Structure formats: structure tokens, C-alpha cells
């Protein structure tokens, strides 16, 4: 194979006072008391975290974890802009440091292809290594399935190695400003045609710089995976198919062209003039400041603008499923997960697994969601809890939009180790199409297909 591809339980000795203290937090149940949480006492492990509410919540519980297990945790928190470069460098060193790291599913395709990721099935399938009430089946199953992959390019997620376990995830829905819709006198769009009509009516709804719809547009992979990819799949388009022993790009298919023509039309009729610089952060902020009337992005993004006092438009934001081609079509959404994964070179795998098990447990997930705003919760028991329902009462439509979307939510990309190269090129081409640098959408996507085919050309599926 070409070089390019290859580079790639609490023990009986615990004092009664400690047991009472742990039980009082709700983090340790009676069943867990029988599990030997002290099996790796004295071990030090290291975890690299991204700057996120999920990492902030873990830090709040580190002291309790260390008291429970006797395991010492060293950690670092890095902004997402440079986080994955740091993780990639650390894993490639082969030193075994860090033992654990936060990751999305796409990154795990790259890391596992290079042999850097431990298969967590090793622990999940060993009854001696799993606390009795861990309850793997309580996970939102599509969230854990998003982190399973065989390692064979072109194989879908959902089977094979458990490359990580979820801390939180996001699906892609629509958030909108109720005040804007009341002001211009329109209903929430349910179809693509209605969305375009709303774009026409909502431009400048709140002053000269306000506009209808915010979506990501920056020249990187993050532009493609939320709303764009969700709509791309809803149009029946695919990024790759398998032909013989090769992955072949399909980004210039009739379905892909039709979807991209719609998307470009939406940007031109309802987007901001600064669209080509927009990330998830800009989309959320613009909704909160009253610049954008609609955001098509992660369902949890606008939530943080809508807590009481969080932004100028807090209290005016509501949620609905993403528009579809025609009413009755499934609410297809792509997926993002923040997970914990284990370095295959770790010298402390048992202790590292205890960390994963503790911080993906039902009790911890409830704490992280209810007290630390870690959304979406990866545990079904949290979604079904009275506490979560009460928490989200001030986020109208949020749970309904999630329930309407989750059954048709999965990772819609074809897993392959050049995901970031191909999707970044995709975002660049999309920018160029919107800017009029191609004679047509078809011409731009034809050019993109050639580049994507070249990027994956050294993947020979006969070698798997």
C-alpha cells in the first residue's frame, strides 16, 4: 500500500465515610459498590481534551473519580482550532501519551487506519471490566454506532471496532427567531420551497445587516458536515460509491448538482454577505444578536443563545426539524459525536478504561447534562428523565425536533482516511461556486470529483 495510506468494585477497604460521600453525589450506586474500582490504584493517566462543555463537566468530577479509584488524572484542554493537530502529533509519536483523548468519529477513521486507536470492545465484552449497572444498552444507539467501524474504507459505520464511546452528540435541525416570523407574518418553513420563500421575506428583517438564514461557509471540512451534508443525503446524493476495488466520488451526480443548486440559491437569497467566513460559532451568535432569523446547524448550538439572559434574543428562539423536499419525507440528518477514545499505545489501558466507564456512565451523563449543559446527552435515560424535560422547557420545540430527526440520523459520509482532505476541498469548491468562479454548479462539481478521486486513488480495497 502506498506510503500516503500507511502514514496514516469500590473495594472493601474503602472507608464508610467515603462510600457515604460518593453515594451522596448520586455518582455511585449500590451495584457499583461491589465493583473493584480500586483495581488500578496508584496509576497515573493522561487525557487530552478539547475546549468544550463536555471537558468542563469532566474536570468538575475529576476529584471524585480520583477518590473513587485511586487513579491520578493529568489533563490538558486545547481550543478546537489547534486541538486535533496536537492529538495527531501525540498519537504519531508512539509514546503512549496521552492514554485517552476526545475525538469526533471522522478523526477516528484517520487515527484507527494508522493503528492508533484501541478497540473498546475488548473491555465492553469482559464482564470483569464493566460495572454491573453500566448499561451499555442505555446509550442512544445511533451515537455508539456512529463510533463503530470495521476499518475498511467504504464500509458504513455501525459495525466493527468500538473506536470510542460518546460524551455528547449533535444532530442538525432548524432554530428560528419567533419574533422575526411574527414580524413578517410567515409560518415556519417545512419544505425547501417554503424555505426559499422565507429567505426572500426575512432579508433585512431586523435592520440593514440582518438576514434570513445562517449556515456555515468557511473554507474547511466543518462547512460540509452539518446542514449541507444533511440536505445532500436528503436529495438522494452520495459522496462516494465503490466500483471494483476503488472508491469513486459521486459529488457531481444529478442529485448532488440539484442539491447544490438549491443550497447556492438559498445562500444568495437569504444568506449573509460574510457567509464564506462563517463557522458554527458565527451562526449561533448571529441568531442570538438578532442578525439571523434562521440557523440550520447543530441542534445544541442555538440553545446556548436561548438560556435566560444569554443573548439579546434569548426567549425568542425556538426549534423545528430541518425542511424537506416535500412534507412527509424523512428528517435525514448527519451526525457529530464528541467521544472518549483510547490510545492503542497506552501503558495504562485498565486505568484508562475505568476513566471511560466512569465518564460515560448514566449517572455522570445526567450530571453533565442537567448541571453542565452538555448536549445532546448520549444516554436515553437522560432524555427520558423529568429533570431533562424541565431543563428544556425554555427551549421550545427542541425535544420534538430531536425526536422527529433521530431515527433517520447517522453519519452520512463514506468512512475513509482522507475525509478531511476531501471535505476541505469540497468546502473550497462550494465557496468558489457561490462566488461565481465556475460557469455552472455542474462544472464546479465535475472539477471537485476529479480532485476527490485523486485524493483516494491509493486506496485499494482488494488489500482488505
Amino acid at each position: 500500500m502506498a506510503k500516503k495510506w500507511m502514514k496514516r468494585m469500590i473495594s472493601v477497604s474503602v472507608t464508610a465515610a467515603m462510600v457515604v460521600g460518593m453515594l451522596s453525589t448520586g455518582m455511585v450506586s449500590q451495584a457499583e459498590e461491589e465493583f473493584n474500582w480500586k483495581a488500578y490504584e496508584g496509576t497515573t493517566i493522561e487525557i487530552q481534551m478539547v475546549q468544550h462543555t463536555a471537558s468542563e463537566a469532566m474536570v468538575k468530577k475529576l476529584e471524585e473519580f480520583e477518590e473513587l479509584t485511586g487513579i491520578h488524572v493529568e489533563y490538558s484542554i486545547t481550543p478546537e482550532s489547534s486541538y486535533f493537530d496536537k492529538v495527531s502529533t501525540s498519537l504519531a509519536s508512539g509514546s503512549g501519551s496521552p492514554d485517552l483523548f476526545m475525538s469526533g468519529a471522522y478523526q477516528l477513521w484517520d487515527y484507527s487506519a494508522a493503528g492508533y486507536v484501541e478497540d473498546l470492545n475488548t473491555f465492553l465484552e469482559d464482564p470483569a471490566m464493566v460495572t454491573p449497572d453500566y448499561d451499555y444498552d442505555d446509550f442512544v444507539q445511533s451515537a455508539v454506532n456512529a463510533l463503530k467501524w470495521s476499518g475498511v474504507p467504504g464500509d458504513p459505520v455501525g459495525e466493527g471496532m468500538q473506536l470510542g464511546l460518546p460524551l455528547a452528540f449533535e444532530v442538525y435541525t432548524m432554530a428560528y427567531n419567533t419574533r422575526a416570523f411574527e414580524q413578517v407574518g410567515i409560518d415556519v418553513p417545512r419544505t425547501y420551497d417554503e424555505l426559499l420563500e422565507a429567505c426572500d421575506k426575512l432579508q433585512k428583517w431586523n435592520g440593514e445587516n440582518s438576514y434570513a438564514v445562517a449556515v456555515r461557509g468557511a473554507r474547511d471540512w466543518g462547512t460540509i458536515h452539518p446542514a449541507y451534508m444533511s440536505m445532500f443525503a436528503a436529495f438522494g446524493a452520495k459522496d462516494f460509491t465503490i466500483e471494483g476495488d476503488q472508491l469513486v466520488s459521486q459529488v457531481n451526480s444529478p442529485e448532488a448538482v440539484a442539491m447544490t443548486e438549491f443550497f447556492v440559491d438559498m445562500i444568495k437569497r437569504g444568506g449573509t454577505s460574510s457567509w464564506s467566513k462563517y463557522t458554527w460559532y458565527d451562526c449561533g451568535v448571529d441568531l442570538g444578536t438578532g442578525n439571523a432569523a434562521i440557523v440550520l446547524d447543530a441542534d445544541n448550538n442555538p440553545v446556548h443563545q436561548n438560556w435566560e439572559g444569554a443573548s439579546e434574543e434569548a426567549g425568542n428562539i425556538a426549534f423545528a426539524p430541518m425542511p424537506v423536499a416535500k412534507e412527509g419525507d424523512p428528517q435525514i440528518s448527519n451526525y457529530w459525536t464528541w467521544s472518549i477514545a483510547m490510545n492503542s499505545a497506552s501503558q495504562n489501558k485498565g486505568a484508562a478504561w475505568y476513566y471511560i466507564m466512569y465518564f460515560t456512565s448514566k449517572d455522570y451523563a445526567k450530571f453533565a447534562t442537567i448541571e453542565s449543559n452538555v448536549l445532546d446527552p448520549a444516554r436515553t435515560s437522560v432524555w427520558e428523565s423529568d429533570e431533562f424535560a424541565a431543563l428544556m422547557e425554555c427551549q421550545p420545540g427542541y425535544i420534538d425536533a430531536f425526536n422527529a430527526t433521530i431515527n433517520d440520523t447517522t453519519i452520512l459520509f463514506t468512512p475513509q482516511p482522507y475525509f478531511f482532505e476531501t471535505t476541505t476541498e469540497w468546502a473550497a469548491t462550494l465557496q468558489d461556486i457561490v462566488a461565481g468562479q465556475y460557469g455552472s454548479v455542474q462544472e464546479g462539481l465535475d472539477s471537485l470529483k476529479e480532485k476527490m478521486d485523486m485524493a483516494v486513488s491509493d486506496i485499494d480495497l482488494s488489500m482488505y
Side-chain angles (χ1 to χ4, degrees):
M1 191 176 294
K3 288 184 178 179
K4 181 180 178 185
W5 166 247
M6 293 301 294
K7 69 175 185 180
R8 318 281 279 182
M9 150 199 136
I10 299 176
S11 71
V12 293
S13 62
V14 177
T15 66
M18 182 179 290
V19 173
V20 171
M22 293 292 101
L23 290 174
S24 69
T25 67
M27 295 296 293
V28 179
S29 68
Q30 184 67 35
E32 286 176 304
E33 288 184 65
E34 301 170 4
F35 182 82
N36 184 14
W37 278 105
K38 292 288 189 183
Y40 299 98
E41 185 173 14
T43 304
T44 297
I45 60 173
E46 178 188 351
I47 179 169
Q48 290 182 355
M49 305 179 190
V50 70
Q51 192 170 34
H52 190 273
T53 54
S55 55
E56 294 166 3
M58 284 192 288
V59 170
K60 292 176 183 177
K61 288 294 182 180
L62 280 180
E63 183 177 352
E64 289 184 11
F65 172 77
E66 291 181 333
E67 290 177 356
L68 174 65
T69 63
I71 297 168
H72 176 62
V73 180
E74 296 179 350
Y75 69 92
S76 62
I77 297 178
T78 305
E80 188 173 350
S81 59
S82 56
Y83 173 72
F84 288 112
D85 288 340
K86 178 180 179 179
V87 172
S88 298
T89 300
S90 298
L91 295 176
S93 73
S95 67
S97 174
D99 301 283
L100 299 165
F101 57 96
M102 287 176 62
S103 183
Y106 312 140
Q107 289 82 2
L108 291 174
W109 301 341
D110 191 359
Y111 298 152
S112 63
Y116 299 152
V117 184
E118 187 75 8
D119 181 3
L120 299 182
N121 284 322
T122 302
F123 306 99
L124 289 165
E125 295 170 2
D126 182 352
M129 292 298 289
V130 182
T131 186
D133 59 356
Y134 184 66
D135 195 1
Y136 178 85
D137 291 337
D138 180 62
F139 279 110
V140 176
Q141 287 305 296
S142 53
V144 289
N145 287 341
L147 298 163
K148 290 181 180 178
W149 184 44
S150 67
V152 178
D155 279 2
V157 298
E159 295 183 0
M161 297 176 289
Q162 189 74 62
L163 300 175
L165 284 171
L167 292 164
F169 63 88
E170 60 191 41
V171 301
Y172 300 104
T173 60
M174 177 171 61
Y176 62 96
N177 188 307
T178 57
R179 183 171 68 86
F181 279 72
E182 291 168 1
Q183 182 174 306
V184 301
I186 60 173
D187 294 328
V188 176
R190 292 170 295 183
T191 67
Y192 298 137
D193 288 341
E194 290 176 358
L195 177 58
L196 291 176
E197 291 172 5
C199 285
D200 294 336
K201 294 178 180 179
L202 286 165
Q203 284 295 76
K204 304 187 189 306
W205 71 276
N206 197 28
E208 187 64 27
N209 294 322
S210 64
Y211 60 99
V213 60
V215 290
R216 304 187 207 187
R219 212 174 184 90
D220 62 51
W221 64 273
T223 285
I224 301 301
H225 86 95
Y228 182 93
M229 191 61 189
S230 300
M231 292 178 172
F232 188 81
F235 268 75
K238 297 178 181 292
D239 56 348
F240 289 97
T241 56
I242 297 174
E243 297 182 11
D245 294 322
Q246 298 291 317
L247 289 177
V248 178
S249 172
Q250 299 296 317
V251 294
N252 64 340
S253 69
E255 296 83 0
V257 171
M259 179 272 159
T260 305
E261 287 174 341
F262 158 76
F263 196 85
V264 171
D265 196 19
M266 181 185 73
I267 296 299
K268 291 183 175 180
R269 289 166 65 171
T272 171
S273 59
S274 302
W275 167 79
S276 62
K277 300 177 181 178
Y278 265 48
T279 66
W280 68 271
Y281 175 81
D282 302 293
C283 293
V285 167
D286 272 12
L287 189 66
T289 58
N291 282 339
I294 299 171
V295 166
L296 303 177
D297 202 85
D299 58 345
N300 53 36
N301 183 359
V303 166
H304 303 295
Q305 302 292 326
N306 204 36
W307 299 121
E308 185 178 357
S311 72
E312 296 172 45
E313 295 297 326
N316 295 324
I317 296 170
F319 299 82
M322 195 90 76
V324 293
K326 62 180 185 300
E327 290 193 54
D329 283 357
Q331 304 291 159
I332 294 173
S333 173
N334 195 34
Y335 226 144
W336 171 262
T337 59
W338 277 118
S339 68
I340 313 179
M342 187 185 301
N343 186 347
S344 61
S346 168
Q347 301 300 304
N348 307 297
K349 291 179 182 177
W353 165 247
Y354 274 31
Y355 183 101
I356 293 176
M357 185 167 52
Y358 181 92
F359 285 101
T360 59
S361 68
K362 290 192 291 186
D363 288 336
Y364 172 76
K366 192 171 187 178
F367 157 79
T369 303
I370 304 303
E371 299 186 39
S372 296
N373 290 334
V374 178
L375 299 171
D376 288 329
R379 288 284 191 164
T380 300
S381 55
V382 178
W383 280 99
E384 295 177 348
S385 69
D386 292 339
E387 294 93 331
F388 186 66
L391 176 71
M392 303 309 287
E393 282 181 353
C394 63
Q395 307 288 349
Y398 185 91
I399 293 178
D400 289 341
F402 172 85
N403 287 335
T405 304
I406 189 60
N407 289 338
D408 291 290
T409 295
T410 187
I411 290 182
L412 298 170
F413 292 99
T414 301
Q416 46 90 9
Y418 302 132
F419 170 83
F420 296 101
E421 182 176 341
T422 54
T423 50
T424 297
E425 189 62 55
W426 199 340
T429 301
L430 183 59
Q431 277 194 0
D432 291 343
I433 290 171
V434 172
Q437 295 185 24
Y438 291 99
S440 65
V441 169
Q442 182 74 63
E443 180 183 329
L445 295 182
D446 286 344
S447 174
L448 175 62
K449 171 187 164 53
E450 293 180 7
K451 295 171 183 176
M452 291 177 71
D453 283 340
M454 181 63 67
V456 301
S457 61
D458 68 333
I459 298 177
D460 183 352
L461 298 178
S462 69
M463 299 184 69
Y464 292 88

